[in-house]
Amino acid sequence: MSTASTLPPVHQYEENTSRGSAIGAWLKGQYALYILLALLIIATITRGSVFWSGTNLTNLLLQMSIIGVVVLAELIVVLTGGIDISVGSALGLAAVIAAGLFGGPSIWLALLVAIVIGGIVGAVNGWLVAYRGLEPFIVTLGMLALARGLVYAYGNGIPIIPEAAATFASFGQTTIIGIPVLAIIWIAAIALIAFLLYRTVWGRRVYAIGSNKEAARASGIPVKRTLWSVYILAGLLVGLGGWMFLGRFAAGTSTAGNLLELEAIAAVVIGGARLSGGYGRVFGAVVGTIIFTVIANLLSLLNVSTFLQDAFRGALILVAVTLATVSFANSRRRTKAATETATDSPASSSTPAGQS
Amino acid sequence: MSTASTLPPVHQYEENTSRGSAIGAWLKGQYALYILLALLIIATITRGSVFWSGTNLTNLLLQMSIIGVVVLAELIVVLTGGIDISVGSALGLAAVIAAGLFGGPSIWLALLVAIVIGGIVGAVNGWLVAYRGLEPFIVTLGMLALARGLVYAYGNGIPIIPEAAATFASFGQTTIIGIPVLAIIWIAAIALIAFLLYRTVWGRRVYAIGSNKEAARASGIPVKRTLWSVYILAGLLVGLGGWMFLGRFAAGTSTAGNLLELEAIAAVVIGGARLSGGYGRVFGAVVGTIIFTVIANLLSLLNVSTFLQDAFRGALILVAVTLATVSFANSRRRTKAATETATDSPASSSTPAGQS
Amino acid sequence: MTSDQHGHDPTTDPQQTVAFRATGVKKHYPGVKALDGVDLTGYAGEVLAVCGANGAGKSTFAKLLAGVETPTDGDIMVAGYPHPVRNAAEAEQAGVLMMHQEPLIIDDFTVGENVWLYKLRAGRDIRPWAQKTNTNSQRTREVLRGVGLGHLRTTELARGLGPGQRQMLSLSRAAVTKHRIMILDETTASTSEEHFNDILDLVRREKAAGTCIIFVSHRLNEVFAMADRIAVLRNGRLVDVVRAADSSPDDVTALMIGQALKALARPAPVEHHGAPPVISVQDLYGGSARGVSFDVRSGEIVGLYGLVGSGRSSVARTVTGQRQAVGGVVTMRGERIKLSTPGDALRRRIAYLTEDRRLEGFVNDFDNGQNMSLVVLPRMARAGVVNAGQEKARVKELIRDFQVKGGVKTMTKSLSGGNQQKVVVAKWLEADPDFVVLDEPTKGIDVGARANIYEIIQSVAARGKAVLVVSSEAEELLSLCHRILVMRNGKVVAEFDPEHADTDDLIRTALTHQD
Amino acid sequence: GCGKIYPTDEPASGPANGVKADVQDVVVGFAQQQLQAPYFAAMQVRAEQIAQEQGFTLLFQAANKDPVVQMNQMQAMMSQGADVLVVNATSVKGQFEMMTQVASKIPVTYIDTSVPGTGMTSVQSDNLTIGRESGKITAQRFRDMGKDSISMVILTGPATDEFVGPNRRQGFLDGLTEGGVEYEIRAEQSGEYAQDKGQVAAENMLAGNPDVDLILGLNDSMALGGYNVVNGKPQYDSVYVAASADGQKEALALIKSGGCDGKYISTGLNSPSLAADEALRISIEVATGQRVPADFPAESFTKAVGIGCENIDEYYDPNSVF
Ligand SMILES: Nc1ncnc2c1ncn2[C@@H]1O[C@H](COP(=O)(O)OP(=O)(O)OP(=O)(O)O)[C@@H](O)[C@H]1O
Ligand SMILES: Nc1ncnc2c1ncn2[C@@H]1O[C@H](COP(=O)(O)OP(=O)(O)OP(=O)(O)O)[C@@H](O)[C@H]1O
Ligand SMILES: [Mg+2]
Ligand SMILES: [Mg+2]
C-alpha cells in the first residue's frame, strides 16, 4: 500500500524561499542594530570629525576588544540558560597571575598562564553547575568573590608589573595593516565561536540544552558534559581576555575586570539573547559590545560631566530599547494593516524582545 | 465502535491523603537553613562569646534590616521570572532625594518622598517590562545607571544631610523592647509580603505568571497588570529601604545601596528561589538575607585579612551550596534504597537546587 | 462554504438557541493562513465535533473562541455577551471554557490549585478571602475522582504528572466553573479508552444542562459516539457540516483528506531462527513498573496496552535508559546491559519516542530541520562539523515522507499539535535504532498521516528491528502488532494475539483483571 | 519599652575598654576606606609592620568605599574589644551622624579622610598643598620649555569623590598659576583612580584633543594610564603627564628615568607610611593612657612636598611597597 503516491493535498506546504523576505524578517529582529545606528548618527552629528578620526576608531577597537572576548564567553554561557557573573574577577585573576608568576618574563608564558587560570575557573564553575546541579548565578557569585579575593591577596592590592612590561606594552600597540593586534584577536575569537556554534554538533547541542534541557537529555545529548565544556570554553576565553588586558595596560591591577560582568551580560542581552537560554546570536552579541563601547566613548568625547555620565548612559539604554520595540511594534502594525495578517496575539510577546 | 461506552468509569487507585511526611519533605528542601546552621556553629566555635553578645546581635539585626527589605522586593520580582538589578541605585535615589527635598525637614515627609520615588522607579521598570515586553535585565540595568546617575547629579557626589539629621539618627537607633525599630519594620515587611504572596489571589497570580506565563494568560489572569503591580510594589519596598537607610546613617550618601542588587539576588537564590520564576518562599529569602549578613559579620569578627575576605566569602558560598546539595543528594539516595521507588527521573533535575 | 446537500441544512438550525456564531473568521500567521473565512454556529445543548487533518485549523478556531487568540478578520459572537471577546478573561465571563490541546497546567502549583486555577481569572475580586477555596478540600478530591484522578494527592505538585493525567486534570475544571460553551481540544488523544467513558459521562451531563460542547478529536469512533453535528475543516476552510446520524466515518474521512483510506495490511509474520531476542526484560522494577518481563524479537512489533497510569511509560522509559531501573535484568541479544542515560541507550541503538511532547519531544527554539536531525546529527558530521547540505537534503525528505505541514525552516513550536508529533516521530525513526520504543506515537495525528506512519513502522520492523509500541488505543495495537501485552498496576497481566482478540478483550483485561 | 543603642553624642573620653598599661594588650581597629588603590594597600602594610614591632593587636578591615560596610566593620571591631579606632572615612559629610555615634563609644583617630566635627583628631594629608607643590614643579618645567600657557586634560576620581580629588585638582591648578603658567582645561573625565580606567579615559580625551600639552591625573595610577597612551607615540610627542599626588613607586621610577626632560613631570608626596605612623602613635598613646583625647588638636597634617626630577633621588626607593 502506498498512500505516498496519492498524497492528500491537505498536507501540502509551500516553503517561502524568497531571499528578499528572509532578509526583511532578519532585519526586523535586529533591533540592536538600530540602536547602534542611532548612536552612530548621534555621534556623527555631535562629534563627527573626532568620532570618525583614525585615532578614535583605533581607540574604539582597542576598547572593545577585551570586553568583546568576554562577551563571547558570556554569550555561550547564556545560551545554555546559565549566567556567569564571575567573568570580571576571573579576568582579573588571570591577568594578575599571568603578570606575576615567575615574575612575568615572557608574554607567551603569560598567555599560557592566563588561559590555564581562566580554564580552571571555568572548569570549577562548570563542574558545579553541570554535575552538582547548582544554580549558575550562585556558583559564579561565589567565584566572583573568590577570584577577586585571590587577586587582592596575590598582590596585596598593589599592581603587578611583569618583567616583560615593555614587551607587553609594545605588543598591545602593534597594528597589522592599521588594525590593532588585540582587535584581530577579538575578531578571530568571534569567528571561532561563530563557527563552533553554527557549524558543529557541539554548537547545536548548546542551543538544544539552553532551549529545552529535558528534550536534549531525552535525545541522547550528553547534557552534563556539554554544559561543562561550555563553562570551560568560557573560562579559556576569559583567560585570553586577561592576557589581552596585560597587553593593553602592561600591569595586573587589582581592579582589572571589575564590574565587567554587568557590561558583558548587558551586551549579550541587548544583542538579543534570551537569558533563559536557547536563543541568541554571535552577531547580536558583537553589536551589543559595540553599542556599549560607543556609548562610553561618546560620553567621553562629549565631555559629559562625571556626575551626569551614569544618568546619560542609563537614559540612553532605556530610550534605545524602548524605541527599538516601538518602531518594531509599529512596523508590525503597518504590516498588519497592509496584509491583514499580523496580530496582537499573545505569541507576539515571544519575540526576541519579549520577556523570558 | 462504541464498546467503550458499555464499561464503567474506573478509579483504580485508592485516594492518598496522607500528610505524614510533609514536615520531613519540607526539611529536606531547606538547604539554606543548613547553611545558616553550619555558619552559626562555626561562629559559635570560633567567636562564640563575641558573636552572641547583645551588641553584636543588635548590630546584626541592624545590618540585615535594610538589605532584608530589599531582598523582599527582589523576591517578588524573581518570582515572576524577572530580575531587578536597579534596587541598589533606586534605594540610593530614594534616600538622597528624601534627604534633600525641601531640605529634609521631617522624617515622615522623607518617608513619603522615599516611597514615592521608589514607587516611580518601580512603575517605570514595570511598565517597560509588562507593557513593552522588554527583558527585565536590560530595563533594570538602564535604571541602575540612570538612578545612580541622578544620585550623583542631585548632590554632585556630595552626601546630602537632611535638616532632620539628628532626628533620623536617633530614630534609627531607637529600640523597642531591645529590638531596633528598623528591624521591626523589616519584620513587618516580611509579614506583609508573606501575607500577600500566600493568602491573596494576587499572590497566586504572581506564582502562576512566574511558572507559566502563557498558561496564566490563557487562563485569563491579567498578566500585564499583575506584572506591573509586582514591580511597583518592589519599588515601594525599595523606597522604604531608602528611608531606613536615612534612619541608620542620617545622610544620603552617593554610594547608598551600591552593589546591593547582587547581594539581594544572591540572598533570594540561596534561599531557594528559582531565577526563572514560579518558585521561591519568603522564609528562604529571609534565611538567605541572614546568611549573607552573618558571613560578612563573621569575617569581620574573625578579623580575616581584608585581602582574603572576598576570597573567604566566595569559598564559603561555594562550599556551602555544594555541601548542601551533597547531603541532599545523599538523603535522596537513601530514600530511594528504602522504598525502591524513587528514581533519577528527569524531573529530579527540577528541584530547587537544579539549574533554571 | 455551507452546504445543504444533506437536505436539511445542518449548519444553521432556527429551532435551537444559538450559543456562538462565527462569521467570516480568518486567522493568518506570517506565511500561514490557519483559518481562512469560517462561518460556523454552535447551539446550546449539542455536541459539535470539529474534524480535519493536522494543521487544518481546529485548535486555531477553538483558541479564537476562547479568546486566547484574536482573529485577523471576522468575529465570533458568544450568546449573551455584548461584543466579540478580546481576551481569555472576557471569554471566561462570556462562559467559554476550553481544554487546550496542551493543557494549561501550572507546574509549580499543586494538583488541587490547578483544579481551581480559573479562580485566579480576571475577576475584580482579589480580596484576600476571595481565594478562600480550600484546594485540599473534600470537594476538590471529589472533582478529581470524577475524572479518574482520585489516587493523586491534592497537595502534590502538578509537575510530576504525565500527559494523560494533565489532560484529565484540566478536564476536572469543568466541574468547578460556570460555562455555557465547553471546548475539548484533543482531550482524548493521550488518554485511554476507559477515560473516554468519564468524558462521555461528563459531556452528557453538560449537554443536559444546555452547554454547547465543541469536541475535537482524530478518533472518529469517539466523534461518532459523542457528536450531534460534525464540522469538517480543511486547510483553514470549512468544507462541510454534517449530522452524525446521517454520516459515517468514511464519509468524514473523505471530507477531511479528500480521499478514502485503504485498510492497513497486517504485518508479515516474524520468523524466529532461534536467535536470541533483540531485547529481553526480566523482572523489571522502576517508576510504577513492578516486576515486568517480556521479549521483543527481531522484526517483531509488540504492543503494550493498559490504562493511564498502569505503568506502560515507566517500563518504556526504564528499558531505554530514560530513567534508571531499580531492579531487574535487561539483556540485548543475550548480553546483559545497563543503561544509565538516554545517550547510553542511543549508543546501543536503543531509542525511546517520548509520550511527553511538550516536555521532552522537541526543542522549542529549533526549526523543523534542526529538530529532526538532532539525534542523528553526529552521523551527518565529520569531526564534529555538520555537513549542512546533507542535513538539509535529508530533512526535506523526512518532511515529505511524514507529511509534515511545514517547511525545513518553520519553527516546530508553531506547528499544529499533530504536525509536531510527526516531527518527533520522524526524528526518532531516522535514528534507525535496533530496538525502538514508541510511546503513543500517533497521538494527535490525523487518520491520513497515521496510516503512513504505520507503514513506516512496519517497514522498520521488516528490516529486522525490534519495535515496542505503547498505546492507549486498542484498535491501533490490534492492527499494527504481532503481539500485545496488557499491563495493569505495574505488571504485565496478559498477552494477546491480535488475530484472536478484539478491543473489548483488551479493555476488559486492562480494567478487570485481578492479580 | 523604647531605648537607644548610642545614648550620648559626646565623644568618648578614654579608650573603650579602659586604659591598658601594656601596649601588648591594646587592640587597635583600623577601618580602611578601600583597598582598590595601592596607596591604601601600602597603608595597611605599614600598619601591620608597626603592630608587629610594638606588639599590639591590629584589627584591619577595608570598606570598599561604602559607608554602610564601614559602619558594619567598625561595629564588629568594637564587638571584638577594640580600644581605639583609626578610621579612613569613606564619606566626609555623609558619615557625620554615624561617626558621632561610633565616637561616643570609642576614641577615633582619622587618617587621610576625616569627618569634621567628630572623633578625637585627624592625621590628614593636605591634599591642597600636595597638589600645589606638584603643580609648581610642572609649571617650572613648562616655563623652562618656554611655554607660559598650556592646555590640559584631567583624569578625575569617580563621582563619589567629594573631597580629596577636588582639593588635589584645585591645588595643582593653583600651583600652575603660582608658577606663572596659564592653563586651559579641554576635558575632564573620570579614571576612577585606577590605571586601566585612566588609560581609557585619556585615550578618549586625547582623541578629541590631540594637541594638549599636559595630562593631569589626580593620582599616579591614573597618570600612569595616561602615560601609557602617549608613551612612544609620535603624534603625542609634545604631550606630558603629571599627577597631583601619591608618589607611587612606578611613577617615581618614570620621573627618575626620564630625568629633567622626561614625559612624566611631577607628582606630590602623599606618604601612606608617614600617615600610618602618626595615626597609630596617637592611638597607642591614648590607649595606654599617656595622653587623653582632649590633648589633641582637631587636625594635623602630614608632610606635603612635590616630587620632580630635581628631588627625585630623595624619595625614590625601588624596594618600597608603594
Ligand atoms: N503561533 C503560530 N504561528 C504560526 N503558525 C501557527 C501558529 N499556530 C498555529 N499555526 C499554524 O496554523 C495552522 C493551523 O494550526 P492548528 O493548530 O489550528 O491545527 P489543528 O487543526 O489543531 O491541527 P492538529 O490536528 O494537528 O492539532 C497550522 O498550519 C499551524 O502551523
Ligand atoms: N517512582 C514512582 N513510584 C510510584 N509511582 C510512580 C513513580 N513514578 C511515576 N509514578 C506514577 O505512576 C503512574 C503511571 O506511570 P506511567 O507513566 O508509567 O503509566 P502509563 O500507563 O504510561 O500512564 P500514562 O498514560 O499517564 O502515561 C503515574 O501516575 C506516575 O505518577
Ligand atoms: Mg490542534
Ligand atoms: Mg504513558
Side-chain angles (χ1 to χ4, degrees):
Chain A
M1 186 186 95
S2 61
T3 42
S5 59
T6 53
L7 255 186
V10 289
H11 289 299
Q12 251 161 27
Y13 176 85
E14 277 157 47
E15 190 140 19
N16 185 350
T17 46
S18 84
R19 289 245 156 228
S21 76
I23 294 176
W26 179 83
L27 273 179
K28 215 181 281 171
Q30 300 303 312
Y31 75 110
L33 213 53
Y34 303 136
I35 297 178
L36 180 58
L37 222 67
L39 275 176
L40 293 182
I41 292 172
I42 296 175
T44 311
I45 294 172
T46 54
R47 303 282 294 174
S49 58
V50 177
F51 183 85
W52 294 108
S53 71
T55 326
N56 195 54
L57 291 183
T58 309
N59 285 347
L60 272 172
L61 273 178
L62 281 173
Q63 284 162 21
M64 62 183 75
S65 43
I66 296 174
I67 169 95
V69 170
V70 175
V71 167
L72 293 173
E74 193 69 60
L75 173 71
I76 56 175
V77 171
V78 165
L79 283 180
T80 67
I83 194 163
D84 187 347
I85 60 170
S86 70
V87 286
S89 318
L91 183 140
L93 189 63
V96 168
I97 297 188
L101 204 64
F102 312 120
S106 134
I107 65 169
W108 303 116
L109 176 69
L111 175 61
L112 185 72
V113 173
I115 285 185
V116 167
I117 298 288
I120 291 175
V121 170
V124 172
N125 283 340
W127 185 77
L128 290 172
V129 168
Y131 291 94
R132 303 259 23 118
L134 296 173
E135 183 84 54
F137 185 89
I138 201 81
V139 167
T140 55
L141 177 82
M143 188 53 82
L144 161 79
L146 177 59
R148 183 61 62 196
L150 291 179
V151 169
Y152 288 145
Y154 189 76
N156 276 357
I158 293 165
I160 301 200
I161 320 282
E163 279 166 25
T167 325
F168 271 114
S170 85
F171 172 76
Q173 300 184 14
T174 309
T175 59
I176 296 177
I177 45 165
I179 301 170
V181 66
L182 292 179
I184 291 175
I185 297 177
W186 174 43
I187 292 166
I190 295 172
L192 173 74
I193 296 298
F195 172 77
L196 286 177
L197 284 180
Y198 303 151
R199 289 270 169 273
T200 68
V201 175
W202 179 85
R204 197 68 70 76
R205 288 178 171 171
V206 170
Y207 278 99
I209 291 172
S211 178
N212 188 342
K213 211 159 148 203
E214 295 313 325
R217 199 190 100 94
S219 306
I221 291 176
V223 173
K224 293 180 180 176
R225 190 144 43 85
T226 309
L227 262 182
W228 199 23
S229 70
V230 165
Y231 281 83
I232 293 176
L233 178 57
L236 296 176
L237 283 170
V238 168
L240 178 67
W243 178 74
M244 291 164 75
F245 184 95
L246 286 183
R248 189 148 146 67
F249 301 110
T253 58
S254 59
T255 49
N258 219 355
L259 295 185
L260 212 58
E261 53 277 0
L262 228 52
E263 206 170 322
I265 299 170
V268 166
V269 172
I270 216 168
R274 203 197 296 135
L275 276 179
S276 57
Y279 187 91
R281 313 289 296 175
V282 174
F283 180 77
V286 171
V287 173
T289 311
I290 303 178
I291 287 177
F292 280 98
T293 315
V294 168
I295 289 183
N297 180 258
L298 194 57
L299 289 174
S300 257
L301 289 188
L302 291 173
N303 203 29
V304 171
S305 122
T306 314
F307 297 126
L308 287 174
Q309 280 215 3
D310 275 325
F312 264 91
R313 186 193 333 258
L316 220 54
I317 295 174
L318 287 180
V319 170
V321 294
T322 311
L323 280 187
T325 54
V326 166
S327 74
F328 182 60
N330 276 351
S331 76
R332 215 173 40 188
R333 207 163 305 139
R334 245 175 288 121
T335 322
K336 179 175 168 181
T339 69
E340 291 192 35
T341 55
T343 67
D344 263 341
S345 77
S348 67
S349 70
S350 59
T351 55
Q355 194 204 359
S356 67
Chain B
M1 198 112 320
S2 60
T3 41
S5 61
T6 60
L7 293 166
V10 271
H11 310 292
Q12 37 186 346
Y13 289 104
E14 278 313 297
E15 198 170 318
N16 183 352
T17 51
S18 92
R19 287 177 152 280
S21 61
I23 293 175
W26 180 83
L27 273 179
K28 213 179 287 170
Q30 301 302 310
Y31 74 111
L33 212 53
Y34 303 134
I35 297 179
L36 180 57
L37 221 68
L39 275 176
L40 293 182
I41 292 172
I42 296 175
T44 312
I45 294 173
T46 54
R47 304 286 294 175
S49 57
V50 177
F51 183 84
W52 294 108
S53 71
T55 332
N56 196 53
L57 291 183
T58 310
N59 288 346
L60 271 174
L61 272 179
L62 281 175
Q63 285 162 19
M64 63 182 76
S65 43
I66 296 175
I67 169 94
V69 170
V70 175
V71 167
L72 293 172
E74 193 68 59
L75 173 69
I76 56 175
V77 172
V78 165
L79 283 180
T80 67
I83 195 162
D84 187 347
I85 60 169
S86 70
V87 286
S89 317
L91 183 141
L93 188 64
V96 168
I97 297 188
L101 204 65
F102 313 120
S106 132
I107 66 169
W108 304 116
L109 177 68
L111 175 60
L112 185 72
V113 173
I115 285 185
V116 167
I117 298 289
I120 291 174
V121 169
V124 172
N125 283 340
W127 185 78
L128 290 173
V129 169
Y131 290 95
R132 301 254 30 112
L134 297 173
E135 182 86 51
F137 185 90
I138 201 79
V139 166
T140 54
L141 177 82
M143 188 54 85
L144 161 78
L146 177 59
R148 182 62 63 195
L150 292 178
V151 168
Y152 293 151
Y154 190 74
N156 275 358
I158 294 167
I160 313 248
I161 319 287
E163 281 166 23
T167 326
F168 271 114
S170 86
F171 171 77
Q173 50 154 316
T174 308
T175 58
I176 295 174
I177 44 167
I179 300 171
V181 67
L182 292 180
I184 292 175
I185 297 177
W186 173 43
I187 293 166
I190 294 172
L192 173 75
I193 295 297
F195 173 78
L196 286 177
L197 284 181
Y198 303 151
R199 289 274 169 272
T200 67
V201 172
W202 179 85
R204 296 318 295 166
R205 285 179 180 172
V206 170
Y207 279 98
I209 291 171
S211 181
N212 187 342
K213 205 156 148 210
E214 289 313 316
R217 192 197 318 268
S219 53
I221 292 174
V223 173
K224 294 181 180 176
R225 188 144 46 85
T226 310
L227 263 183
W228 198 23
S229 70
V230 166
Y231 280 84
I232 293 176
L233 178 57
L236 295 176
L237 282 171
V238 169
L240 177 68
W243 179 73
M244 291 164 75
F245 184 94
L246 286 183
R248 189 146 141 68
F249 302 106
T253 59
S254 54
T255 51
N258 220 355
L259 295 185
L260 213 57
E261 53 277 0
L262 228 52
E263 205 168 323
I265 299 170
V268 166
V269 172
I270 216 168
R274 203 196 297 138
L275 275 180
S276 57
Y279 185 90
R281 315 288 297 175
V282 174
F283 179 76
V286 171
V287 173
T289 310
I290 302 178
I291 287 177
F292 280 97
T293 316
V294 169
I295 289 183
N297 181 257
L298 194 58
L299 289 174
S300 275
L301 289 187
L302 289 172
N303 204 35
V304 171
S305 136
T306 317
F307 292 129
L308 285 175
Q309 276 210 9
D310 275 326
F312 262 90
R313 188 194 331 264
L316 218 56
I317 295 174
L318 288 180
V319 170
V321 293
T322 312
L323 281 187
T325 53
V326 166
S327 72
F328 183 60
N330 276 350
S331 76
R332 213 174 41 188
R333 207 161 309 138
R334 244 175 288 119
T335 322
K336 180 176 166 181
T339 66
E340 287 196 36
T341 54
T343 67
D344 264 341
S345 79
S348 68
S349 68
S350 57
T351 52
Q355 193 205 359
S356 66
Chain C
M1 215 144 298
T2 60
S3 149
D4 49 11
Q5 67 204 24
H6 296 276
H8 171 69
D9 177 5
T11 58
T12 53
D13 189 341
Q15 267 113 65
Q16 284 178 283
T17 334
V18 172
F20 72 87
R21 190 189 299 280
T23 38
V25 171
K26 292 185 181 171
K27 178 68 185 178
H28 294 183
Y29 292 106
V32 185
K33 294 178 177 175
L35 283 181
D36 204 16
V38 169
D39 301 281
L40 189 60
T41 310
Y43 299 99
E46 72 152 0
V47 179
L48 173 62
V50 180
C51 290
N54 294 131
K58 304 180 294 295
S59 299
T60 305
F61 182 77
K63 282 185 199 158
L64 293 179
L65 183 54
V68 178
E69 305 261 350
T70 40
T72 311
D73 196 10
D75 48 32
I76 305 182
M77 296 296 296
V78 176
Y81 201 70
H83 55 81
V85 296
R86 288 172 301 221
N87 55 43
E90 286 187 358
E92 186 265 339
Q93 276 158 3
V96 183
L97 174 68
M98 174 162 176
M99 317 300 164
H100 288 254
Q101 189 166 4
E102 288 302 339
L104 297 183
I105 302 289
I106 307 282
D107 279 351
D108 292 300
F109 278 18
T110 64
V111 168
E113 282 173 329
N114 268 299
V115 172
W116 297 96
L117 182 67
Y118 286 180
K119 272 271 183 184
L120 299 183
R121 278 202 214 203
R124 267 158 288 283
D125 199 1
I126 60 163
R127 286 163 302 153
W129 51 92
Q131 200 231 354
K132 204 71 191 152
T133 319
N134 184 351
T135 54
N136 191 24
S137 64
Q138 198 57 42
R139 168 115 175 85
T140 312
R141 271 178 247 140
E142 266 162 31
V143 167
L144 284 172
R145 225 176 290 135
V147 292
L149 295 178
H151 59 289
L152 292 184
R153 277 171 46 190
T154 51
T155 52
E156 117 192 27
L157 285 188
R159 185 178 289 282
L161 301 188
Q165 292 169 323
R166 296 170 82 87
Q167 285 289 359
M168 299 313 285
L169 178 56
S170 122
L171 190 68
S172 71
R173 292 176 190 145
V176 299
T177 54
K178 282 208 185 71
H179 50 271
R180 276 179 291 184
I181 298 175
M182 182 166 83
I183 308 166
L184 303 177
D185 191 0
E186 303 204 18
T187 303
T188 55
S190 45
T191 61
S192 358
E193 275 92 347
E194 99 286 353
H195 271 290
F196 180 66
N197 296 306
D198 287 347
I199 297 173
L200 201 58
D201 267 2
L202 177 84
V203 166
R204 286 202 184 111
R205 262 180 278 129
E206 293 280 345
K207 205 171 144 177
T211 309
C212 169
I213 293 127
I214 293 166
F215 182 72
V216 180
S217 173
H218 289 292
R219 297 182 182 169
L220 290 179
N221 55 346
E222 293 177 354
V223 167
F224 277 88
M226 197 175 284
D228 297 313
R229 291 188 304 150
I230 302 171
V232 181
L233 289 174
R234 196 156 124 201
N235 283 331
R237 291 174 178 275
L238 187 67
V239 188
D240 204 348
V241 181
V242 299
R243 291 203 167 279
D246 310 340
S247 184
S248 74
D250 283 347
D251 296 345
V252 172
T253 309
L255 284 172
M256 270 164 62
I257 61 175
Q259 66 174 56
L261 278 181
K262 292 178 227 158
L264 185 68
R266 292 278 322 140
V270 223
E271 287 142 45
H272 309 263
H273 300 295
V278 174
I279 209 91
S280 168
V281 176
Q282 233 105 63
D283 210 24
L284 186 76
Y285 282 83
S288 52
R290 298 189 178 87
V292 171
S293 309
F294 63 89
D295 293 346
V296 187
R297 296 185 171 274
S298 162
E300 200 176 27
I301 304 174
V302 176
L304 195 56
Y305 184 75
L307 307 181
V308 166
S310 58
R312 296 162 302 167
S313 297
S314 294
V315 170
R317 285 172 177 279
T318 315
V319 296
T320 53
Q322 299 278 337
R323 83 188 312 163
Q324 297 207 325
V326 183
V329 182
V330 179
T331 46
M332 188 177 193
R333 296 212 172 88
E335 179 197 352
R336 186 168 173 178
I337 55 172
K338 204 162 158 42
L339 308 172
S340 42
T341 64
D344 280 355
L346 216 55
R347 246 165 274 131
R348 294 185 177 272
R349 307 186 71 83
I350 295 176
Y352 169 72
L353 185 149
T354 183
E355 64 173 336
D356 199 342
R357 192 167 66 214
R358 173 193 65 95
L359 196 64
E360 45 186 30
F362 60 91
V363 176
N364 252 316
D365 295 298
F366 275 12
D367 60 31
N368 289 334
Q370 291 169 321
N371 265 315
M372 284 180 168
S373 65
L374 186 60
V375 177
V376 293
L377 204 59
R379 238 177 278 163
M380 295 173 169
R382 177 176 291 177
V385 182
V386 178
N387 180 340
Q390 189 191 346
E391 182 190 1
K392 187 158 181 208
R394 183 63 195 133
V395 165
K396 271 207 171 119
E397 284 169 29
L398 285 176
I399 284 183
R400 204 191 48 228
D401 290 352
F402 284 84
Q403 304 178 353
V404 178
K405 196 181 172 190
V408 177
K409 291 268 170 233
T410 313
M411 298 302 283
T412 306
K413 75 171 166 217
S414 77
L415 294 181
S416 76
N419 283 304
Q420 290 175 354
Q421 182 70 19
K422 293 178 197 167
V423 170
V424 180
V425 176
K427 160 175 115 173
W428 281 111
L429 291 183
E430 176 62 9
D432 195 29
D434 289 345
F435 172 54
V436 60
V437 180
L438 307 168
D439 201 345
E440 313 275 7
T442 57
K443 109 176 179 189
I445 290 187
D446 67 46
V447 283
R450 186 181 286 234
N452 203 43
I453 286 179
Y454 291 158
E455 244 181 83
I456 294 172
I457 293 174
Q458 288 183 348
S459 76
V460 166
R463 273 185 286 128
K465 316 288 183 184
V467 182
L468 181 69
V469 180
V470 178
S471 176
S472 302
E473 248 179 296
E475 222 176 324
E476 168 170 285
L477 294 179
L478 286 169
S479 62
L480 184 65
C481 301
H482 294 105
R483 283 189 293 140
I484 299 170
L485 308 171
V486 179
M487 282 191 72
R488 183 178 145 79
N489 281 346
K491 296 198 170 90
V492 172
V493 291
E495 180 175 330
F496 288 93
D497 178 353
E499 305 281 359
H500 311 291
D502 63 11
T503 329
D504 247 4
D505 294 335
L506 295 189
I507 297 177
R508 214 177 298 280
T509 316
L511 264 173
T512 59
H513 183 96
Q514 292 299 328
D515 44 314
Chain D
C2 295
K4 295 278 184 215
I5 300 169
Y6 300 95
T8 166
D9 282 354
E10 290 301 308
S13 55
N17 305 306
V19 169
K20 303 270 174 67
D22 189 350
V23 79
Q24 309 269 343
D25 299 334
V26 172
V27 180
V28 178
F30 195 136
Q32 179 62 288
Q33 175 195 101
Q34 54 158 308
L35 283 176
Q36 271 85 327
Y39 172 75
F40 303 104
M43 218 182 256
Q44 172 176 11
V45 173
R46 180 67 191 145
E48 275 164 358
Q49 271 174 7
I50 298 171
Q52 189 122 51
E53 283 162 16
Q54 305 195 5
F56 60 86
T57 308
L58 179 72
L59 308 173
F60 191 98
Q61 301 282 310
N64 201 12
K65 288 183 272 185
D66 189 335
V68 178
V69 174
Q70 189 162 52
M71 177 72 172
N72 297 347
Q73 289 174 341
M74 288 185 296
Q75 285 176 338
M77 287 174 185
M78 293 193 298
S79 304
Q80 291 176 84
D83 298 301
V84 286
L85 285 185
V86 176
V87 177
N88 186 356
T90 47
S91 171
V92 174
K93 291 179 73 184
Q95 285 179 299
F96 182 79
E97 297 291 342
M98 183 198 295
M99 291 313 300
T100 307
Q101 292 176 358
V102 170
S104 73
K105 296 227 160 153
I106 189 166
V108 171
T109 306
Y110 292 107
I111 186 169
D112 194 41
T113 304
S114 70
V115 178
T118 67
M120 178 172 72
T121 180
S122 82
V123 180
Q124 284 182 335
S125 22
D126 183 351
N127 288 296
L128 207 59
T129 314
I130 293 172
R132 188 163 57 228
E133 295 303 319
S134 174
K136 281 200 263 189
I137 294 173
T138 296
Q140 185 59 44
R141 172 76 83 81
F142 278 108
R143 297 272 305 240
D144 291 350
M145 290 190 284
K147 285 193 176 178
D148 50 12
S149 91
I150 61 169
S151 60
M152 62 194 291
V153 294
I154 305 182
L155 294 162
T156 64
T160 50
D161 185 10
E162 42 180 291
F163 210 77
V164 174
N167 277 349
R168 288 180 180 178
R169 175 182 176 279
Q170 196 52 52
F172 190 92
L173 297 177
D174 292 349
L176 284 181
T177 313
E178 267 178 52
V181 169
E182 284 176 16
Y183 58 85
E184 180 201 358
I185 300 171
R186 293 283 193 78
E188 291 186 62
Q189 289 291 309
S190 166
E192 298 178 22
Y193 288 126
Q195 182 178 330
D196 52 327
K197 302 278 188 332
Q199 182 169 334
V200 171
E203 275 172 2
N204 288 335
M205 288 191 292
L206 284 182
N209 310 279
D211 54 341
V212 293
D213 302 294
L214 178 69
I215 302 170
L216 167 64
L218 296 188
N219 75 349
D220 280 322
S221 293
M222 292 193 288
L224 284 167
Y227 177 82
N228 277 351
V229 179
V230 297
N231 184 33
K233 301 235 179 72
Q235 72 266 39
Y236 297 136
D237 232 6
S238 58
V239 183
Y240 290 82
V241 178
S244 49
D246 274 7
Q248 191 178 332
K249 191 169 63 180
E250 288 78 25
L252 298 185
L254 283 178
I255 295 176
K256 186 169 166 63
S257 66
C260 284
D261 39 33
K263 264 196 174 321
Y264 204 109
I265 302 175
S266 69
T267 185
L269 179 67
N270 182 21
S271 168
S273 320
L274 291 181
D277 288 349
E278 178 72 4
L280 285 173
R281 185 183 55 76
I282 295 170
S283 299
I284 295 299
E285 282 176 358
V286 172
T288 52
Q290 295 168 38
R291 294 165 81 178
V292 293
D295 291 350
F296 295 96
E299 47 191 25
S300 61
F301 293 105
T302 51
K303 192 164 92 173
V305 280
I307 304 174
C309 61
E310 267 141 23
N311 60 353
I312 180 68
D313 290 329
E314 282 173 51
Y315 298 98
Y316 180 57
D317 168 11
N319 301 317
S320 73
V321 277
F322 178 61

